[in-house]
């Protein structure tokens, strides 16, 4: 799956949305997620592809 962003601003906004969603995920998880880069990547790719970016978990 290839993912790209139109600008640095678009990428930054996607990272902010992922950070917010990941914060909620960690609250549910009950501890810090050491694999957060993988989580962010999946979230951002799902969001860009129009899939439910909030449904994935471990």
């Amino acid at each position: 799956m290839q993912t790209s962003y139109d600008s640095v601003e678009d990428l930054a906004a996607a990272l902010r949305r992922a950070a917010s969603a990941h914060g909620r995920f960690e609250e549910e998880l009950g501890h810090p997620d050491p694999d957060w880069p993988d989580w962010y990547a999946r979230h951002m790719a799902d969001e860009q592809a129009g899939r439910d970016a909030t449904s994935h978990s471990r």
Side-chain angles (χ1 to χ4, degrees), residues 21-23 25-27 29-40 56-58:
H22 189 257
F25 171 75
E26 282 187 322
E27 285 179 12
L29 193 59
H31 59 82
D33 177 16
D35 296 321
W36 66 266
D38 297 329
W39 196 100
Y40 271 50
H56 62 278
S57 63
R58 256 179 251 273

Side-chain angles (χ1 to χ4, degrees), residues 2-15:
Q2 188 168 358
T3 303
S4 63
Y5 292 88
D6 292 332
S7 67
V8 170
E9 291 80 13
D10 288 344
L11 175 57
L15 285 164

